[in-house]
Amino acid sequence: MAKICFGIDIGGTTVKIGVLSMEGKFLDKWEITTRTEENGKYILGDIADSLKKYVADKGIDMADVVGAGMGVPGPIKDDGTVLKCANLGWGVFNCAKELSDLLGVPVKAGNDANVAALGEQWQGGGKGHDDLVMVTLGTGVGGGIILGGEIVAGVNGAAGEIGHIHIVAPEDTIGTCGCGNHGCLEQVASATGIVKLAKRLVEETDTPTSLRDLPQITAKDVLDAAKAGDAGAESVVDKMAGYLGDALAAICAVVNPEIIVIGGGVSKAGQYLIDKIQAAFTPNAFHALRDTQFALATLGNDAGMVGAARLVLQ
Amino acid sequence: MAKICFGIDIGGTTVKIGVLSMEGKFLDKWEITTRTEENGKYILGDIADSLKKYVADKGIDMADVVGAGMGVPGPIKDDGTVLKCANLGWGVFNCAKELSDLLGVPVKAGNDANVAALGEQWQGGGKGHDDLVMVTLGTGVGGGIILGGEIVAGVNGAAGEIGHIHIVAPEDTIGTCGCGNHGCLEQVASATGIVKLAKRLVEETDTPTSLRDLPQITAKDVLDAAKAGDAGAESVVDKMAGYLGDALAAICAVVNPEIIVIGGGVSKAGQYLIDKIQAAFTPNAFHALRDTQFALATLGNDAGMVGAARLVLQ
């Protein structure tokens, strides 16, 4: 039978489990609930049970399973040691070794944002490029740096934490970032940040905007209104894209990647958003960085599973 | 005889040539003039002649020469192809291959700032650390990123160009950066930048400062006055260190190194400057980055030769 591998993406609510070919194609995928009770002590056992049942049901020989990769929502060292994982209730322990002992196959683990970046590099928006920066614009702003086809994890597992680059001018900073700082990129470039900027526009200015008529504003509302020509909404997008483009120019001055891949829920705004970000990036980027390519992520919620599988194949 | 290697650091005025042991200790070093006439066509030949004469004079068997590394002042690809080297008059060609053909030993080449960073990582202020960011504060601001003991060159050879991170607020930006942009870190954090900020203080404010009495102001004057308690000079250093600390916090959010090594002429201000930079870094850095170490470079002008030698030993 052909060799296969498992790609596991552990989130605070569900664990996504994928079975992939060596070429990175899905053979199967499903989700199980993340049981975070009792400091998340059941999570790895539940994953192992689910995979063992799958293997038994399908009549798969475990000798054909090359290994399992796993993305976890927190800082993690190359050897699989989780440093802290508040969402799961996990303290410090080697999650890769523990799952490997349960499954009897090699396991590698990485930070979920980094692993998703690796997925996009292998099979998604960054396919064909060894050096890539990925930005995930969701509730927060995550990031992943891939150089030479491998994750840059950093000595504390904090490489690619680009949502916490301190870049926002005091006049555009609203409240405190989740990390405790002020002026983090995440405060303006995440879905949450876009909504905050839009609410400030509605509540603190007389700028005409269709957003004023909405009972509740979402990031999608803002981007849709901007695309439809609403100047007020566009000013919010320009501010968000301005800071993001400037931060990306700084990131490129550090690692000079071939391509920047933009993912996360906010990236559903598509090429319109890419154009806005690129318009801010280009004038602020060092001349040798101006031909950096931009692309949309293509794997969506599958990126973590694909990247996790890649991790164990490296 | 024990194996040896050559470390070559090509500058716009002189070429520094070092002969090093495999452990990175100097056995000999000297300089020759950089002949930039006729698009720098004599430079590599001059280096080869100088090394061949040395080898002959010392009775060294070329079989004991492991190879030569070379730092060049411009963007360069991993295979040794110079992309542009205005200071030397060089266009696009493979300088490593050409010197290798002349010498008959393996040659590797890298950007001079990156190679100096590798030297500090191997034998200098970053010794014992595999993941390092080096900042060189001289006439400009250079940088080098070392991850896993290897240079991060970037797809266009522009990784580590941290002097051109766009970070300076419009009110602190004086004129245009050498790269054509405005607001580059180099415009405030280089020796030139410090002098510009100090001149602005003297010419455009009534702030009492001893700098006002000097016929000409150097960066050293500013740092010495600040150390001696001159509040005006200290405000200049605080501004410079503020932007530098903020940029370093952003750089660490990208690659999360173990240590930041500060070199270049301005770094002669020593621990006083490190303390100022760190005071700006810490509040702006993501919490997982706050224990990043800071150190002074220790190799001075030898860093390029040491790093070049390291390059060919990797």
Side-chain angles (χ1 to χ4, degrees):
Chain A
M1 197 193 139
K3 299 281 181 191
I4 59 170
C5 59
F6 302 142
I8 302 156
D9 183 12
I10 308 182
T13 313
T14 62
V15 179
K16 296 188 180 69
I17 300 177
V19 180
L20 290 93
S21 71
M22 304 301 280
E23 294 73 37
K25 302 298 169 204
F26 277 99
L27 304 172
D28 253 313
K29 59 181 169 179
W30 66 95
E31 296 188 10
I32 63 173
T33 300
T34 309
R35 285 204 286 157
T36 55
E37 57 260 39
E38 294 179 60
N39 294 321
K41 66 186 282 192
Y42 304 113
I43 297 173
L44 294 177
D46 288 350
I47 293 170
D49 289 346
S50 183
L51 281 167
K52 282 181 182 168
K53 183 174 182 308
Y54 175 84
V55 166
D57 288 352
K58 294 279 179 180
I60 293 168
D61 184 349
M62 276 306 269
D64 289 324
V65 179
V66 173
M70 177 162 57
V72 301
I76 183 164
K77 294 170 77 165
D78 281 341
D79 71 353
T81 304
V82 177
L83 298 177
K84 190 184 164 186
C85 214
N87 288 354
L88 306 182
W90 285 359
V92 178
F93 77 111
N94 193 316
C95 66
K97 184 176 182 309
E98 190 164 317
L99 186 63
S100 180
D101 289 345
L102 290 168
L103 279 177
V105 298
V107 175
K108 283 196 186 168
N111 168 269
D112 56 357
N114 293 343
V115 164
L118 187 63
E120 288 290 342
Q121 185 267 331
W122 189 32
Q123 296 294 335
K127 194 169 179 173
H129 301 280
D130 279 350
D131 296 344
L132 162 155
V133 169
M134 176 156 180
V135 189
T136 304
L137 306 171
T139 314
V141 171
I145 315 289
I146 308 293
L147 296 180
E150 297 196 1
I151 289 171
V152 176
V155 65
N156 295 330
E161 281 287 1
I162 62 185
H164 301 288
I165 289 180
H166 179 256
I167 197 167
V168 183
E171 65 268 23
D172 291 325
T173 300
I174 307 170
T176 305
C177 182
C179 77
N181 271 7
H182 298 82
C184 291
L185 176 63
E186 174 163 306
Q187 286 188 277
V188 293
S190 61
T192 325
I194 293 170
V195 170
K196 280 188 186 168
L197 290 174
K199 280 189 179 161
R200 175 180 276 190
L201 178 86
V202 166
E203 290 165 10
E204 299 179 16
T205 76
D206 296 326
T207 310
T209 169
S210 60
L211 299 173
R212 216 174 278 286
D213 308 328
L214 301 174
Q216 271 212 317
I217 302 174
T218 66
K220 182 173 187 305
D221 294 332
V222 179
L223 283 150
D224 286 348
K227 280 189 200 176
D230 182 304
E234 191 172 14
S235 74
V236 169
V237 175
D238 284 340
K239 184 157 282 183
M240 172 266 188
Y243 283 116
L244 184 53
D246 210 7
L248 288 169
I251 293 163
C252 288
V254 182
V255 292
N256 183 202
E258 294 172 86
I259 191 165
I260 295 166
V261 176
I262 315 271
V266 175
S267 74
K268 290 183 182 155
Q271 193 59 40
Y272 172 82
L273 182 65
I274 297 274
D275 291 345
K276 287 283 189 191
I277 297 167
Q278 213 163 357
F281 172 87
T282 306
N284 288 331
F286 184 57
H287 52 76
L289 305 170
R290 287 194 191 139
D291 64 356
T292 308
Q293 297 175 55
F294 281 73
L296 290 163
T298 62
L299 300 181
N301 291 331
D302 290 347
M305 288 182 281
V306 174
R310 177 64 173 167
L311 204 57
V312 77
L313 297 180
Q314 285 184 326
Chain B
M1 197 193 139
K3 300 282 182 191
I4 59 170
C5 59
F6 303 142
I8 302 157
D9 182 13
I10 308 183
T13 312
T14 61
V15 179
K16 295 187 180 69
I17 300 177
V19 180
L20 290 93
S21 70
M22 303 301 280
E23 293 75 37
K25 302 299 169 203
F26 277 100
L27 304 172
D28 253 313
K29 59 181 171 180
W30 65 95
E31 294 188 11
I32 63 173
T33 301
T34 309
R35 284 203 287 157
T36 55
E37 57 259 40
E38 294 179 60
N39 293 323
K41 67 187 281 192
Y42 303 113
I43 297 173
L44 294 177
D46 289 350
I47 293 169
D49 290 347
S50 182
L51 281 168
K52 282 181 181 167
K53 182 172 182 310
Y54 174 85
V55 166
D57 288 352
K58 294 279 178 179
I60 293 167
D61 183 348
M62 276 306 266
D64 289 324
V65 179
V66 173
M70 177 161 57
V72 301
I76 183 164
K77 294 170 76 165
D78 281 342
D79 71 352
T81 304
V82 177
L83 297 177
K84 191 183 162 186
C85 215
N87 288 353
L88 307 181
W90 285 359
V92 178
F93 77 111
N94 192 317
C95 66
K97 185 177 181 310
E98 191 164 315
L99 186 64
S100 180
D101 289 346
L102 290 168
L103 280 178
V105 297
V107 175
K108 282 198 185 166
N111 168 268
D112 55 357
N114 293 343
V115 164
L118 187 62
E120 288 290 343
Q121 185 267 330
W122 190 31
Q123 296 294 335
K127 193 167 180 174
H129 301 280
D130 279 349
D131 296 345
L132 162 156
V133 169
M134 177 158 178
V135 189
T136 304
L137 306 171
T139 314
V141 171
I145 314 288
I146 308 293
L147 297 180
E150 296 197 0
I151 290 171
V152 175
V155 65
N156 295 330
E161 282 286 0
I162 62 185
H164 300 288
I165 289 180
H166 178 255
I167 196 167
V168 183
E171 65 269 22
D172 291 324
T173 301
I174 307 170
T176 306
C177 183
C179 78
N181 271 7
H182 298 83
C184 291
L185 176 63
E186 175 163 306
Q187 286 188 278
V188 293
S190 61
T192 326
I194 293 170
V195 169
K196 279 187 186 167
L197 289 174
K199 279 188 180 161
R200 177 180 275 191
L201 178 86
V202 165
E203 289 164 11
E204 297 179 19
T205 76
D206 296 326
T207 310
T209 170
S210 60
L211 299 174
R212 217 172 275 287
D213 309 327
L214 301 174
Q216 271 212 318
I217 301 174
T218 66
K220 182 173 186 305
D221 293 333
V222 178
L223 283 151
D224 285 348
K227 280 189 200 177
D230 182 306
E234 191 172 14
S235 74
V236 169
V237 175
D238 283 341
K239 184 157 282 184
M240 171 268 188
Y243 283 116
L244 183 53
D246 210 7
L248 288 169
I251 293 162
C252 287
V254 183
V255 291
N256 183 23
E258 294 173 84
I259 190 166
I260 295 167
V261 176
I262 315 271
V266 175
S267 74
K268 289 182 183 158
Q271 193 59 40
Y272 173 82
L273 182 65
I274 297 274
D275 290 344
K276 287 284 190 192
I277 297 167
Q278 214 164 356
F281 171 87
T282 306
N284 288 331
F286 183 58
H287 53 76
L289 305 169
R290 288 195 189 137
D291 64 356
T292 308
Q293 297 175 55
F294 280 74
L296 290 163
T298 62
L299 300 180
N301 291 331
D302 290 347
M305 288 182 282
V306 175
R310 176 63 174 168
L311 205 56
V312 77
L313 296 180
Q314 285 184 326

